[in-house]
Amino acid sequence: MQVNDSRALVGTASAASAANKQEGAQSCPSGFAPAERVTLGALHFKEANEQVRQALDRVDDVALEDVRAQRYLGCALPAGKRLRIHGTPGNDLACFMDGGTVEVLGNAQDQVGNTMNAGEVIVHGRCGDAAGYAMRGGRVFIRDGCGWRAGIHMKAYDARQPVVVVGKDAGSFLGEYMAGGVFVVLGETGDYLARGMHGGVIYLKNPPRAGALSDEVVLSRVDDADLAVLAPLLAEYDRLFASELGYRVSAEAPEFFRVTPASSRPYASMYVR
């Protein structure tokens, strides 16, 4: 069953970002030191992305200043390339990203990590709807909450197991049709949780609201195998955000819940055999 694969593989996921230096933590909590700065201002998203691509052709580390909702920033960003974003990036941040690192010092809009293959996204704020949409690899850490339909169609791909960690509340339809990977929510969740889920695992710090779960999924307490997955993810969340939040998250707390699919084919009866 895909759930077991997700737990085993993610437990050994890369912790490359944990090696980031802590120098300059006030200006960039991850220790990111850009080699070049690009100011976007009111540029149209096509022109903005062209300027970003040109900068990334010259250097590996780029800071984007005065970002005003330009779409597709970090699209297909390869391994070894990094963006630090000051402002609010638009929809599809880090879409199809293929190993790079994107850090947002503020909020992000919809579809963060859309169909992301590999890499890491760090958001020092909240994000909009559909975070991790069809994501199939890499990790996304959201300090605060997210909108509706986070993790929709999230899936595993080969040995890749996507991970999303949301530090506060998540909206309704979380994990809709989820097929693989790990989603962690440290706040409250909304209605219609994990509808159509047929793979992967969702970890919740708080129990779902009454009536949010259907018969398609199973709710249980976490065990030692789950804590082995959660502990490094929460440690990374703390490393990134604890100094801003003023508190730390404990992976040892027994109140975490696990949501897994009751079947890998929840709608099999609807199809002609």
Side-chain angles (χ1 to χ4, degrees):
M1 188 175 179
Q2 284 179 286
V3 174
N4 292 331
D5 291 341
S6 298
R7 289 163 58 183
L9 287 167
V10 175
T12 58
S14 169
S17 62
N20 287 340
K21 295 180 180 179
Q22 295 302 309
E23 305 176 357
Q26 185 173 3
S27 59
C28 183
S30 69
F32 181 68
E36 186 167 334
R37 298 177 183 272
V38 178
T39 300
L40 300 188
L43 286 178
H44 186 273
F45 77 88
K46 290 184 178 179
E47 185 178 354
N49 277 284
E50 181 57 32
Q51 290 200 14
V52 173
R53 280 191 290 270
Q54 291 175 7
L56 288 168
D57 285 341
R58 295 188 293 270
V59 299
D60 291 335
D61 303 334
V62 175
L64 305 183
E65 309 284 353
D66 192 22
V67 175
R68 303 184 191 179
Q70 285 89 356
R71 290 175 277 173
Y72 309 125
L73 296 175
C75 181
L77 190 69
K81 299 291 185 178
R82 300 188 295 175
L83 291 177
R84 181 180 70 181
I85 297 176
H86 295 269
T88 303
N91 290 357
D92 290 305
L93 173 73
C95 60
F96 308 110
M97 194 164 78
D98 208 18
T101 300
V102 173
E103 184 166 17
V104 181
L105 302 182
N107 298 322
Q109 294 187 339
D110 297 345
Q111 291 140 224
V112 171
N114 180 2
T115 323
M116 179 175 162
N117 291 312
E120 187 163 86
V121 178
I122 303 161
V123 178
H124 295 265
R126 61 165 288 111
C127 68
D129 295 340
Y133 173 71
M135 186 179 169
R136 52 193 178 184
R139 307 195 301 178
V140 174
F141 290 91
I142 308 294
R143 189 193 68 186
D144 299 334
C146 67
W148 287 29
R149 287 194 159 87
I152 182 173
H153 288 299
M154 191 169 158
K155 59 181 69 67
Y157 179 71
D158 288 341
R160 297 174 179 174
Q161 295 287 339
V163 173
V164 179
V165 179
V166 173
K168 295 185 181 177
D169 296 348
S172 296
F173 297 99
L174 171 69
E176 188 176 35
Y177 305 117
M178 185 173 168
V182 173
F183 206 111
V184 182
V185 180
L186 303 180
E188 304 289 340
T189 50
D191 294 324
Y192 310 110
L193 176 63
R195 292 301 167 95
M197 182 183 185
H198 53 282
V201 58
I202 299 173
Y203 292 117
L204 305 176
K205 184 74 163 56
N206 299 296
R209 64 177 62 180
L213 291 176
S214 69
D215 294 337
E216 300 164 350
V217 295
V218 176
L219 179 70
S220 55
R221 293 280 185 174
V222 297
D223 57 22
D224 289 342
D226 295 307
L227 291 177
V229 174
L230 277 168
L233 295 178
L234 298 184
E236 179 66 357
Y237 179 88
D238 281 341
R239 189 191 71 80
L240 293 168
F241 306 127
S243 62
E244 302 170 14
L245 295 171
Y247 60 83
R248 304 183 70 83
V249 179
S250 173
E252 300 176 359
E255 67 266 23
F256 274 94
F257 295 86
R258 177 180 69 231
V259 178
T260 51
S263 168
S264 62
R265 299 187 66 205
Y267 300 120
S269 62
M270 299 175 63
Y271 296 93
V272 177
R273 296 181 181 179

